[in-house]
Amino acid sequence: MSERRTLVVEVDAATRLGLNGFLRVRGYGCVAVSSADEALEALAAGSFSFTLVDLSANGTDPAELIQCLKLRGRNSGPIIAIADRRDNGLDAVPLGVEAVLDKPLSLEELQQTL
């Protein structure tokens, strides 16, 4: 059986830490990064069961980030996006993500998505 690993792309350090703990308790090895560039480096070094991406406040256009992960990060597994729907930033997000979860993130909703 292969290891269950997840990649978390989240700018906020406290949120990264919280998601890391939440996922580890559920049996996932977790790599948490704060930028698209770090995510691509992590994807080049290994593969993941899924990738969790915060689309807000990451300094990258959401559509560009998802496209980059899909094209250059073939090891990402399904992509789960977290977005603040009030920002209307989802209009630019291409379909092709496994799910879009609302911000602030509900850990119960994330658990149901996993």
Side-chain angles (χ1 to χ4, degrees), residues 31-104:
V31 174
V33 300
S34 62
S35 70
D37 290 338
E38 290 175 352
L40 293 174
E41 288 177 23
L43 289 166
S47 61
F48 297 89
S49 302
F50 69 92
T51 297
L52 185 63
V53 181
D54 182 358
L55 297 180
S56 58
N58 63 22
T60 304
D61 174 78
E64 186 178 309
L65 176 58
I66 295 296
Q67 181 181 19
C68 186
L69 289 172
K70 288 184 137 315
L71 293 176
R72 295 176 54 199
R74 291 182 178 83
N75 299 327
S76 67
I79 297 172
I80 300 171
I82 304 168
D84 188 340
R85 293 181 194 264
R86 294 172 293 173
D87 288 345
N88 295 321
L90 290 179
D91 296 336
V93 177
L95 297 176
V97 296
E98 184 71 23
V100 178
L101 305 178
D102 288 327
K103 209 173 187 182

